[in-house]
Each structure stands twice: as C-alpha cells, then as structure tokens.
Amino acid sequence: MPSPRKPVLQTWCTLVALGDQEGRGNHTGYPAGWKGEVLQGNQLNDLVDGLEANHLLQGYSYILTGYIGSASFLNAVMKTVQRLREASPGVSFLCDPVMGDHGKLYVPKELVQIYREQSSDEAESFRSGASRAHPGAAEVVPLASVLTPNRFEAELLTDRPIASKGDAAEACRELHERGPHTVLITSMSFEGDGATPSSYLLMMASRKEAGGAVRQWTLQVPRIDKNFTGTGDLTAALFLAWMHRKPSVEELPEVLEKVGATLQTVLGETTRLGRSEIALIQSQDALRAPTVEYHAQELSPE
C-alpha cells in the first residue's frame, strides 16, 4: 500500500512531486515483513535529472522524506536536497527519520549511523551550497529544518534513553543543536505521568527560535488499543500541512493539537472499520478541519 503522505498533502492542495522510497508491496510495519524492491540512489538521481531537464526544480517550498531502505538512496536524497535548495532557495526540509519502532529496526544498521553522524562544519558547508568532494554522505539531521522521529528513533539519533518527559525535552534540545529548528517526537508513554503507559500516547513539539530560546509543548491523547500501519507517515504529513498554515512558534501548540485530533479521528474510524491500513478516504473532514478535544501543555523553560 502507498504511503498516506501524498493523499494527505494533496487534500491540502499541496503539490507533491517527490515522495518515499516506494517499491514495496506493503508498509514495513507489518509483522510478516514486506516484499518488493529496495530502490537505489541512481534511480532517484535519474528522476531528479528528468525534473531538472524540464525546469521543474524551481518553486518548491518543502521537501518531505520518509522510509528509506538503502544507504545509496539516502545519500541521493541528500544530494537532491542540495539541488532543490540551489533551485528553490529557502525550501524547508522535513525529515521523518524512519528507522524502526518499539526497539526494532526497519532499516540496515548502517543507515542509523548516516542519520546520526555529521559534523556541524560539513553541514553548514552543505547548507550554504559550498562545493563538496563527496556531497550527499552522512548529512541528514544537520540539514533538516524539521525532524519527526518516534521515541525509539529519537533515542537512536541522540544515543540516549528517553524514559521521561524531561529526557524527551533534552533529546529535542540536543537535536536542535545539530540543526533542526523544530522537532516533533511521537509515540511516547512513561511511568509516573498519572496514568498507565498503556492508556495514553504523548507527543512533544519543540521549537528553537532565532535568538536561541527553546519552547516546548506536550500533547497527551488516549491510546487506541490496536496496531496500525502508516501512522508515522500520517503524522509527518499532518505536521507539515498544519505548520504551513500556522508557521509561528506561538501557533505550534495549535499545530500539535490539530495533528493529535486528526490522528484520533482517523484511527478511530480505522478501528470502526476493522482495518489496519488507516482510513484516509473515510476521514476527509478530519483531515481538513479536525475537532480538538485535547490541548497542548507548555513545558517550563529550564
């Protein structure tokens, strides 16, 4: 099944030209795995060459990436980011660093290192468009404007456990120092939050402002006791769509609330239909105008 990113963003009338590393028969989250082709970097490079030849690299506002299954494709994505930024200065890169969940990797271990390791000097050189002997290698987190890991992925990126809201807040701050101005950590639950971890899910949105101040909000929603596929893709697409409409730091808690409300409605409808693939078509109203029931809480700055 295709990723929900495209239909979500197309609902908001946003042009989508480059998507996930498709070639799979189903989402990687299925218990029996997946079959299909792991696309390689040369295939993406050919696609982008075609866009460039037809003068179609100009005018982009956002780059959104998701599941990537090979190092060569990940490196090609980073080269594509550079090419798009040269053609469309100011384009924002939202990276959903899909690596795994619940302690299980979906990707080869070498990709974790590529996502995680990069010197700030190299990243700044790449941001500014300076020439590189080997552009595209190990440049992911420092190049991202927005990062949307789940709890497990945030632990991989920071090489630290996240066992509390405070740990999550510190992980966001560490990721800010490496490049992204906005971080959304999804799918968290902890002991000692006044509810059992199995009864709720927590999201945290964090924004580093131009002056260096960091503001952070959490949103707690009831957990729906069912396994779904595609929720990470849906969350990243919703977060991008709502930030496009509400870009300021003062509006970030509302963005978080809209994302949470939409997820609750879509997953509730999916459960009602007895499905695991999320019910997007049946939830169009919630995609456009969700009803907010749960509200974000700002963390006290340290």
Side-chain angles (χ1 to χ4, degrees):
M1 298 294 289
S3 165
R5 284 183 167 89
K6 293 179 183 178
V8 168
L9 293 173
Q10 287 168 340
T11 297
W12 290 68
C13 301
T14 300
L15 175 65
V16 178
L18 295 174
D20 296 334
Q21 187 190 13
E22 300 290 359
R24 310 181 305 276
N26 55 268
H27 191 276
T28 57
Y30 277 90
W34 58 277
K35 297 291 185 179
E37 182 182 8
V38 176
L39 302 183
Q40 301 301 316
N42 64 302
Q43 294 167 290
L44 177 59
N45 290 334
D46 287 345
L47 289 174
V48 178
D49 287 344
L51 290 173
E52 186 173 43
N54 287 286
H55 308 289
L56 295 175
L57 292 185
Q58 293 79 27
Y60 288 89
S61 298
Y62 303 99
I63 305 164
L64 172 61
T65 60
Y67 173 81
I68 295 170
S70 71
S72 72
F73 198 92
L74 182 54
N75 288 330
V77 165
M78 295 303 99
K79 294 178 184 179
T80 300
V81 171
Q82 183 185 40
R83 293 173 71 175
L84 284 169
R85 281 182 166 165
E86 290 172 351
S88 301
V91 65
S92 182
F93 172 27
L94 189 152
C95 174
D96 183 9
V98 180
M99 294 181 283
D101 202 2
H102 304 297
K104 177 184 176 181
L105 284 176
Y106 300 153
V107 300
K109 288 183 179 180
E110 63 178 318
L111 268 71
V112 177
Q113 296 301 111
I114 295 175
Y115 274 111
R116 184 165 56 194
E117 295 183 358
Q118 173 68 18
S119 75
S120 59
D121 289 343
E122 286 178 313
E124 182 57 36
S125 173
F126 195 83
R127 287 177 188 274
S128 65
S131 62
R132 291 275 310 280
H134 302 285
E139 299 159 330
V140 186
V141 171
L143 283 179
S145 311
V146 181
L147 200 64
T148 62
N150 60 34
R151 176 182 176 177
F152 177 59
E153 290 157 351
E155 290 177 328
L156 291 174
L157 291 174
T158 59
D159 197 23
R160 64 161 73 197
I162 297 176
S164 66
K165 290 181 184 178
D167 290 344
E170 283 302 312
C172 288
R173 289 177 180 274
E174 179 177 326
L175 292 169
H176 286 316
E177 291 302 311
R178 292 161 59 186
H181 60 68
T182 302
V183 178
L184 174 69
I185 302 182
T186 65
S187 305
M188 299 186 290
S189 58
F190 308 112
E191 298 282 357
D193 281 340
T196 59
S198 61
S199 68
Y200 75 95
L201 285 175
L202 188 77
M203 294 189 290
M204 179 176 292
S206 182
R207 172 74 58 83
K208 183 177 181 180
E209 300 180 84
V214 175
R215 297 183 66 183
Q216 299 175 313
W217 289 266
T218 60
L219 178 71
Q220 183 170 309
V221 298
R223 181 193 294 271
I224 298 176
D225 189 20
K226 180 178 173 63
N227 291 324
F228 302 96
T229 58
T231 53
D233 294 348
L234 175 59
T235 301
L238 289 169
F239 197 58
L240 172 57
W242 279 108
M243 282 205 309
H244 171 70
R245 285 196 170 186
K246 300 179 179 295
S248 72
V249 66
E250 289 79 13
E251 295 170 305
L252 188 58
E254 185 178 357
V255 169
L256 188 58
E257 292 167 355
K258 298 286 190 183
V259 171
T262 306
L263 286 168
Q264 286 285 294
T265 301
V266 172
L267 297 184
E269 181 66 12
T270 303
T271 300
R272 186 186 70 80
L273 294 172
R275 297 171 48 175
S276 58
E277 290 283 349
I278 53 180
L280 289 180
I281 301 302
Q282 297 84 350
S283 308
Q284 291 294 301
D285 289 344
L287 294 179
R288 297 187 181 94
T291 300
V292 172
E293 184 177 355
Y294 302 97
H295 297 281
Q297 303 294 320
E298 185 168 10
L299 298 181
S300 300
E302 294 184 359

